[in-house]
Amino acid sequence: MASKAACILVQLVAAAALSQTSLLELKEDVLRFLPEDSAGRAQSLPLRSPPPRQSKIDHVVVLYMENHAADNFFGCMDLPGFDGIKGHRIPADPADPSKGFINITCGSAPYVCSKGPSYATFEGKFAKDGNPHRYPYSAQSDNYSALWGAMENSTAVTMFAPEQVPIKAAIAQNFGVFNKLFTAVPSASSPNHLFTQSATSCGMTSNVLWKQCGGNGTYFPQPTIYDSLRLHNVSFSLFLNSTCGLDGKPCHGEDPHDPDAGSAISTPDVAMIGVARHKDRFMSQEIFYQQAANGSLPALSWVLPPIQACDHPCHDIAKGERLLKDVYEAVRSGPGWNRTLLFVAYDDAGGYYDHIVPPFEGVPADGSPCVIPGVHPDCGPDFDFRRLGLRTSAMLISPWVAKGAVYQEPKRGPSNTSQFELTSVPATIKNLFNLSFFLTHRDAWAGSFEELLLESPRSDAPLHLPEAPPASSPWTPPPPQVSEDSLLPPTPQHCSSWHGKAEAKCKGLSHVNLKQQRNIRLLADMLETPLPDMSRMDFFQANSWLRSSWNKWMRSGSKSAKTRQSHSESTEMI
Ligand SMILES: *[C@@H]1O[C@H](CO)[C@@H](O)[C@H](O)[C@H]1NC(C)=O
Ligand SMILES: *[C@@H]1O[C@H](CO)[C@@H](O)[C@H](O)[C@H]1NC(C)=O
Ligand SMILES: *[C@@H]1O[C@H](CO)[C@@H](O)[C@H](O)[C@H]1NC(C)=O
Ligand SMILES: *[C@@H]1O[C@H](CO)[C@@H](O)[C@H](O)[C@H]1NC(C)=O
Ligand SMILES: *[C@@H]1O[C@H](CO)[C@@H](O)[C@H](O)[C@H]1NC(C)=O
Ligand SMILES: *[C@@H]1O[C@H](CO)[C@@H](O)[C@H](O)[C@H]1NC(C)=O
Ligand SMILES: *[C@@H]1O[C@H](CO)[C@@H](O)[C@H](O)[C@H]1NC(C)=O
Ligand SMILES: *[C@@H]1O[C@H](CO)[C@@H](O)[C@H](O)[C@H]1NC(C)=O
Ligand SMILES: *[C@@H]1O[C@H](CO)[C@@H](O)[C@H](O)[C@H]1NC(C)=O
Ligand SMILES: *[C@@H]1O[C@H](CO)[C@@H](O)[C@H](O)[C@H]1NC(C)=O
C-alpha cells in the first residue's frame, strides 16, 4: 500500500511537472489549516492559476443533492430526446406473462413520502440467479425490475409530474438535462460521494467506512479534487448550511425541527481525508449567497444542501425545489453569471426505479491504490466496478448551455466507450481549470461537460424561476410532540431503503436513524472518543451528540495535531 501510494505519488508529480518542493509545500499547507475567520479565507487563493485552457468558465458550482433516479423527476416531462417513463410497462412476473404489467404513474409522488423507496440499485436489472458482481456480468433487462422492488404503487415507481416540480421543469425548459448520466457505482450515497469527489470509492460498495473495507485508518486516504485544486492554486469552498461555529453560525446535526438546523457536512464526505483536511474551506451557505452577489465565488463551489432540502426520502421535495430556485437565482443575478457553470446532480438513484439499463462497456476497473484487495464482508457486495449504476437526475445550467438541451452520450470521448456519470464532475473540473492530472483511470475515462458548452453565451436566461411549491412544514418549526404516534411518518425524516432491512425503513423519530449511526461512528473515531450506546438514543439525542461532536472536531486544535500525525501516511498519496 505504502509503496503503491508512493508510486502513484511519483506518477502524479511527474505528470504534473511539479517540483517535489511544491508538493511538500502543499502537504505542509494542507496540514496547517486551522479554523479562523472563514470569510477572510475565501480570498486566500487566487481565483484560478495557472490560467485555464478555456475562456468561458471561471466559476463551477456543484449543488450535490440526494437520491433521485432520472425517471423520478424528468421521466414524465415529455422532454424531446429524453427517454421518459410515460406509457412504459414492466412485466409483473417475467416468467409468467398472464400476470400482466405494472403501471407506472406520473403525478402520484407525494412531496413527503411515508416510507423509503426500495428498488434494488445494485442488482435491479439482473435475473434472480444473475451475476451482478464481476465482469462478464450476466445479461441485464428491465424485464426483471419487478423482482427487485419496482412494484405497482410502491414509492419506487411513483413519479413526479412536471407541475409538481416547477423549478426543475423550468430548468429543463431553459437549460440542459441529462438523458444519460449514470451513478458511478450501482449503490447508495457513500460510494458515489467518494467517486464524485475522488474518482474512486476505495473498494466500498455500501454506506460504510474505510475500516470496514480493509482500511487501517479512520479516513479514506485517496487524493480528492480539492487536493488537486489546492496543488494547482485554484480556489474552492465547500458551502454548508452551517459551518458550525467557524463564522459565528451555530452548529447542528440533521434535526429539521431545530431552529439552527440545516446540514452539517456528513459521512462520507469528511470520511475522506482529502475533504477533512480542507476544513478551512468549509463555509456557510450564507457566504455562498454573498459571494455570488458580489462576484467573488471561488473557482469551485461545492454546495451541500441543508438536510431538510436535500430531497432524500422522506424530506420535503418542495423544499428541495426552493433551494434550487435560491441557488439558481443567486448565481443568475450575480456579476459572475456570464462565466458560471452550475451543475446539479443527485448522488444516487435512491431506491427509485429507473427504466434504462445502465451501460458497462469499457468502464475501467477501480485500480486506485486505496482499494484493499481481499474479501471484506462488511464492505458491501463483492464488485469489480466495471459497470455503472442507474441513471440519476442531473442538470447543467449556464449562459453557455443551449436552451432546452437534452444530453446523450459524450461525443468527444475521451474514449469511444466514455459515458457521462458522476465521475464526470472531477473530469470536468480538471479540464476547465487545466489541472495537470486526473485522479484515477475513471475520471480519465468519464465524459467531460466541457464539450456541452456553446461557442458564445446566451443572454436570454430568466432572472427568476416560478414560485416553488409550498413547503409542508415551516423551515424552522417548533419541536414536535414527543409521542410514538406523532413521530411516525409523514413527519419529514431521513429514511433509507438500503438492504431492504426492516430497521432501515422509516421508524419515526423515536429511533436513531442509519445515517446518524454512521455519522456517530465516524465522529467517535475522528475524535478518538468512545462510541456512545446508540440503542438507547432517539433521533434528538443522536442529533445533539452529533452537533456537539462535530463542533468539537471543527474546532479541534490539539486534536488535529494528533490527527495530523496519524494522517501523515495517508497524505503520502497526494
Ligand atoms: C495548462 O497547464 C500547463 C501546465 O500543466 C501549461 O503548460 C499550459 O500552458 C496551460 N494551458 C493554458 C492554456 O493555460
Ligand atoms: C394499469 O394499466 C392497465 C392497462 O395497462 C389499466 O387497465 C389499469 O386500469 C391500470 N391501473 C391503474 C390503477 O391505473
Ligand atoms: C421483455 O419482455 C417483453 C415482453 O414482456 C419481451 O417482448 C422482451 O423480449 C423481453 N426482453 C428481454 C430482454 O428479455
Ligand atoms: C394501485 O392503486 C390503484 C389506485 O388506488 C388501485 O386501483 C390498484 O389496485 C393498486 N394496485 C396494487 C397492485 O395494489
Ligand atoms: C496502514 O498500513 C500501512 C501499510 O501497511 C502502514 O505503513 C501504516 O502505518 C498504517 N497506518 C495506520 C494509521 O495504522
Ligand atoms: C502555487 O503557488 C505556490 C506558492 O505561490 C507556488 O510555489 C507553486 O508553484 C504554485 N503552483 C502552481 C501549480 O502554480
Ligand atoms: C440554512 O438554510 C436555510 C434555508 O435555505 C437558510 O435560510 C439559512 O440562511 C441557511 N443558514 C446558513 C448558515 O447557511
Ligand atoms: C464579497 O462578499 C464576501 C462575503 O461576504 C466578502 O468577504 C468579500 O469581501 C466581498 N467582496 C467584495 C469585492 O465586495
Ligand atoms: C452577460 O453578457 C450579456 C451579453 O452576452 C450582457 O448583456 C450582460 O450584461 C452580461 N452580464 C453580466 C452580469 O456581465
Ligand atoms: C473502440 O475502439 C477500440 C480500439 O481503439 C475498438 O477495438 C473498439 O471496437 C471500439 N469500440 C466501439 C464501441 O466503437
Side-chain angles (χ1 to χ4, degrees), residues 89 101-105 152-153:
R89 310 188 301 177
F101 293 91
I102 289 178
N103 292 341
I104 302 202
T105 48
E152 187 160 309
N153 298 346

Side-chain angles (χ1 to χ4, degrees), residues 65-88 104 106 119-122 124-125 140 142 145 156 159-160 177-188 192 343-360 387-395 405-409 419-423:
M65 303 288 283
E66 299 279 321
N67 293 51
H68 280 272
D71 272 336
N72 196 248
F73 282 140
F74 297 109
C76 296
M77 283 189 190
D78 290 326
L79 303 172
F82 190 92
D83 193 346
I85 197 71
K86 272 187 176 171
H88 182 75
I104 302 202
C106 286
Y119 184 61
T121 52
F122 188 77
K125 301 294 179 204
Q140 300 186 61
D142 185 42
S145 288
M159 307 288 166
F160 285 93
V177 165
F178 287 84
N179 181 41
K180 292 191 175 178
L181 188 141
F182 299 90
T183 52
V185 187
S187 178
N192 282 302
F343 177 65
V344 184
Y346 285 73
D347 71 332
D348 64 72
Y352 290 98
Y353 166 73
D354 191 275
H355 77 287
I356 297 293
V357 175
F360 58 87
R387 62 186 176 94
L388 301 174
L390 292 179
R391 275 198 315 185
T392 193
S393 292
M395 295 156 255
V406 173
Y407 304 119
Q408 311 299 332
E409 286 96 349
Q419 296 284 342
F420 291 123
E421 51 120 327
L422 289 171
T423 321

